[in-house]
Amino acid sequence: MKPIAPPIIGVIMPTRNEAAALPKVLNAILPKVAEVIVVDTASTDGTPEIAAGMGARVVSEPRRGYGRACLAGIAALSPAVDTVLFMDADASDRPEDLPRLLAPLIEDGAELVIGARSLDVEPGALTPQQRFGNALACRLIRLIWGIGYTDLGPFRVIRRAALERLQMRDETWGWTVEMQVRAARLGLRVREVPVGYRRRIGQSKISGTLMGTIKAGWKILWVIAAEALARPTRQTTEANSRLEP
């Protein structure tokens, strides 16, 4: 197999009032990647100033929504970036797990690698409703598309060319499941690797509130239904065979 060049990584990090966690996250990830784009959604605690002062590039997206922030970050990526890393800014994702995500891209030619939160997960880091929602969504994806995902974790890396093929559109809480479903529909070479997960610093804007949990769960189910009803696209068994729990 022809050696694969080391990836040029651009990080997209949606934020809203993450001043308490952001310095820890940026200190850990900045030395490992080509650029970090912090997409700020109307923070009031100095988050964008902290990010800029530490060397990240700040993009403002005044409208709330995880997907909107991700789309704004994609639009701002430098042309040289060929691999995109999505991660949260609340210190729950572990930057030290980045080599785990990159290994399948470099060694096996994977196009999308998802960090499954199953390795050294701190007590309380995942709420019962998050665990239930992930299990239900993954079960539905398996039934409809035959892909054995185990998690919808936000810590993931994807080749930029593959990301462009997905034509991502979701603007809120359906972003991660939309990516995984579209990858299944298109037959991308997908891998899932175990990563750790910590208790976040600060209050969650979604899982930390009852209404946020309900809205996120409903949107995830809506995205799965919409994708299931969409015009069929080619799906390959290779995606199944390369998906690693």
Side-chain angles (χ1 to χ4, degrees):
M1 182 177 177
K2 183 179 179 181
I4 300 175
I8 301 173
I9 304 169
V11 180
I12 294 176
M13 193 179 300
T15 61
R16 183 170 181 268
N17 292 334
E18 301 290 1
L22 194 58
K24 177 180 179 179
V25 178
L26 290 178
N27 276 328
I29 198 66
L30 278 167
K32 303 176 185 291
V33 298
E35 70 175 358
V36 175
I37 297 176
V38 170
V39 185
D40 186 68
T41 54
S43 290
T44 58
D45 65 348
T47 289
E49 291 78 11
I50 292 171
M54 295 186 67
R57 196 144 59 89
V58 178
V59 172
S60 177
E61 172 49 81
R63 301 170 300 168
R64 296 185 187 181
Y66 185 84
R68 290 190 186 99
C70 291
L71 289 168
I74 291 169
L77 286 169
S78 299
V81 168
D82 60 26
T83 302
V84 185
L85 170 68
F86 295 93
M87 67 180 299
D88 287 346
D90 58 12
S92 55
D93 297 323
R94 302 194 315 184
E96 59 266 33
D97 286 332
L98 180 57
R100 289 178 174 272
L101 292 183
L102 295 178
L105 268 72
I106 298 170
E107 299 169 6
D108 300 331
E111 295 170 286
L112 167 64
V113 184
I114 300 158
R117 295 167 290 185
S118 60
L119 183 69
D120 298 330
V121 176
E122 288 187 357
L126 286 171
T127 64
Q129 55 266 34
Q130 283 179 293
R131 293 182 184 275
F132 174 79
N134 278 337
L136 176 59
C138 291
R139 177 63 175 169
L140 291 172
I141 293 171
R142 181 188 290 271
L143 289 173
I144 298 169
W145 290 281
I147 305 296
Y149 296 123
T150 66
D151 195 12
L152 306 178
F155 196 42
R156 55 185 59 204
V157 63
I158 184 170
R159 289 293 188 181
R160 190 170 185 174
L163 179 59
E164 291 171 355
R165 287 180 60 197
L166 296 182
Q167 299 181 1
M168 297 289 295
R169 295 177 182 174
D170 188 82
E171 296 183 340
T172 55
W173 306 285
W175 175 269
T176 56
V177 72
E178 181 184 66
M179 182 181 291
Q180 288 172 233
V181 167
R182 292 193 171 192
R185 290 178 57 204
L186 289 173
L188 294 188
R189 295 187 297 276
V190 182
R191 295 284 296 274
E192 195 178 78
V193 297
V195 297
Y197 201 62
R198 302 186 182 103
R199 292 177 63 92
R200 64 161 290 140
I201 296 175
Q203 178 72 19
S204 172
K205 286 76 176 176
I206 299 175
S207 61
T209 65
L210 176 60
M211 186 56 64
T213 299
I214 293 172
K215 287 181 178 179
W218 172 252
K219 185 59 182 290
I220 288 169
L221 295 177
W222 186 92
V223 168
I224 291 174
E227 292 293 327
L229 295 172
R231 186 175 62 184
T233 55
R234 179 183 61 84
Q235 179 178 343
T236 68
T237 57
E238 183 179 18
N240 279 340
S241 65
R242 286 181 174 270
L243 186 58
E244 179 180 279

